[in-house]
Amino acid sequence: MNKQKVLMAMSGGVDSSTAALLLQEAGYDVVGVTLKMFENKELGLEGDSSLANAGDAKQVADKMGFPHYVFDFCKFFRAGVIDHFVREYEQGRTPNPCVDCNKHVKLGQLFVRAAEMGYAYVATGHYANVKFDEARGRWLLLRGEDRQKDQSYMLYTLTQEQLAHILFPLGHMHKTEIRDRAETEGLVNARKPDSQDICFVPDGDYARVIERITKRKPAPGKFVHLDGTVLGSHKGQLHYTIGQRKGLGIAYAYPLYVIKKDIEKNIVYLGPQDALFSDTLIAENCNLISVQELKGPLRVTAKPRYRAKDVPAVIEPAGEGTVRVTFDEPQRALTPGQAVVFYQDDVVVGGGTIR
């Protein structure tokens, strides 16, 4: 019987390398691929490109005896991630580039390439699970077993067709097991630290990266209190996100936070922490997974940012591709541009972008 071919995305980290090992042990015909996403010099970063970890991936592939390739996805990453990242920040929103990358590049384009090569599956080292539900007749995306590492939030854009052809070998494992297994097998990256940053913003300074890309500095403007009082000058709205307290440079009778932004007038509005709380939001560009469509209110838990705990809410249709989310309790700093993902227990119902 012919082995099923799988294209394994390998970043050079321990997760994807261990996932490749598990696939090979399960009898799949594995081919490893590292994705070149950008040229560092374009973003003012050190080094030649985003392939700093490709050598580790190649070493692992050689050790296990399967091919390893590098795919140049720079043009897709530029259009689907970097350009969108810049546009969103310039419009006063706070995008999630990892969600965009999975949708448009890491998975989106990898599925295209896998189909062209005649491969049955794409695999990644994400902490998530997938299964087919006979009763619903739908593929489901589920949380990873290791709740501390669960990445289902980042994968909510997956379609039914993609879910039918994706493998998550690490979905039922915990990080400690993965590192132990990699060490037992003598993988070069067994104890390699996890990356915590957005790949093209390694120092966490989003505004500086945007200035490098656009080659222009954001225009200074006014800090204004919600009551209309002008409080001082800001150095460009790119430098501020909803809920931010530090770095404002404004002395006041009580702590001030960024509440909202008016891009046309270049005003950053400040106010007390209480003003950050809201119990509703509108999510746009929604993708539903566990249900084909929303026909009415649905009780879920909703996660309005990656590091947040999902909380009880009701979702209901609010127009084409749009969902209204009503939380049982008001939530802090619901930020336009971020993803909100809906769950029922471990199952991802779907998600969208906060308007």
Side-chain angles (χ1 to χ4, degrees):
M1 184 176 72
N2 292 332
K3 292 183 178 180
Q4 290 182 306
K5 293 184 176 181
V6 56
L7 203 57
M8 177 73 224
M10 300 182 69
S11 63
V14 65
D15 292 333
S16 55
S17 295
T18 306
L21 170 69
L22 295 172
L23 287 173
Q24 194 176 55
E25 289 181 347
Y28 288 95
D29 183 359
V30 177
V31 169
V33 57
T34 299
L35 308 180
K36 179 180 177 182
M37 302 295 203
F38 54 85
E39 293 286 352
N40 286 11
K41 60 185 179 182
E42 292 181 5
L43 306 181
L45 303 176
E46 295 180 0
D48 295 327
S49 73
S50 60
L51 291 175
N53 298 314
D56 288 347
K58 178 70 163 58
Q59 274 191 263
V60 169
D62 289 346
K63 179 179 178 62
M64 289 191 274
F66 60 78
H68 174 267
Y69 302 110
V70 172
F71 291 169
D72 187 340
F73 281 178
C74 287
K75 67 178 182 180
F76 304 116
F77 192 81
R78 181 71 191 222
V81 180
I82 293 179
D83 288 349
H84 180 256
F85 179 85
V86 172
R87 285 196 305 272
E88 287 285 273
Y89 263 100
E90 289 185 334
Q91 293 169 12
R93 293 156 64 88
T94 305
N96 192 317
C98 295
V99 170
D100 293 331
C101 182
N102 283 330
K103 179 179 181 179
H104 299 293
V105 188
K106 184 179 291 184
L107 296 177
Q109 288 300 320
L110 203 55
F111 274 112
V112 173
R113 190 65 61 89
E116 291 173 350
M117 297 172 68
Y119 280 36
Y121 294 100
V122 162
T124 77
H126 284 103
Y127 290 79
N129 286 296
V130 62
K131 73 174 184 180
F132 186 74
D133 186 311
E134 295 283 355
R136 307 187 206 204
R138 296 184 68 79
W139 288 92
L140 303 181
L141 175 66
L142 298 92
R143 302 183 210 249
E145 184 75 21
D146 188 338
R147 288 298 186 89
Q148 297 300 312
K149 293 291 184 179
D150 170 50
Q151 293 169 299
S152 58
Y153 173 95
M154 298 292 188
L155 298 165
Y156 81 86
T157 63
L158 285 167
T159 66
Q160 286 294 297
E161 176 66 18
Q162 290 170 336
L163 286 165
H165 295 280
I166 196 165
L167 302 172
F168 297 124
L170 307 184
H172 294 290
M173 298 181 71
H174 285 252
K175 186 71 177 195
T176 51
E177 298 176 75
I178 292 163
R179 288 202 182 278
D180 289 346
R181 183 62 198 279
E183 194 163 48
T184 298
E185 297 295 330
L187 301 188
V188 65
N189 48 19
R191 296 298 164 184
K192 187 176 182 178
D194 293 338
S195 173
Q196 301 296 326
D197 300 310
I198 295 171
C199 62
F200 62 96
V201 193
D203 60 0
D205 192 337
Y206 305 153
R208 191 191 319 175
V209 168
I210 292 171
E211 287 180 25
R212 288 170 179 164
I213 293 170
T214 62
K215 296 180 173 55
R216 61 176 179 268
K217 286 191 172 293
K222 296 295 183 183
F223 280 129
V224 178
H225 195 282
L226 289 176
D227 65 11
T229 304
V230 176
L231 298 172
S233 299
H234 67 68
K235 57 185 179 181
Q237 63 87 17
L238 288 178
H239 293 273
Y240 309 97
T241 57
I242 306 302
Q244 180 176 333
R245 176 184 174 185
K246 295 181 179 180
L248 302 180
I250 301 291
Y252 204 69
Y254 50 79
L256 293 174
Y257 298 81
V258 176
I259 307 299
K260 61 181 180 178
K261 297 189 280 187
D262 185 324
I263 301 306
E264 289 186 6
K265 296 180 180 179
N266 197 15
I267 294 174
V268 175
Y269 285 95
L270 308 180
Q273 181 164 221
D274 289 352
L276 285 171
F277 285 82
S278 175
D279 63 0
T280 61
L281 65 81
I282 297 295
E284 57 191 5
N285 301 317
C286 290
N287 180 57
L288 297 175
I289 296 177
S290 68
V291 295
Q292 185 171 354
E293 62 178 325
L294 277 180
K295 297 181 179 179
L298 183 67
R299 169 63 66 173
V300 298
T301 57
K303 190 171 184 173
R305 63 185 62 83
Y306 179 50
R307 296 298 179 189
K309 184 180 185 297
D310 48 312
V311 292
V314 171
I315 59 175
E316 54 191 322
E320 186 69 27
T322 306
V323 169
R324 178 181 299 277
V325 184
T326 304
F327 296 94
D328 288 9
E329 300 288 340
Q331 300 299 303
R332 183 184 185 278
L334 298 173
T335 305
Q338 286 287 291
V340 56
V341 179
F342 321 126
Y343 294 85
Q344 287 184 324
D345 296 322
D346 283 346
V347 175
V348 177
V349 176
T353 304
I354 299 173
R355 177 183 291 174

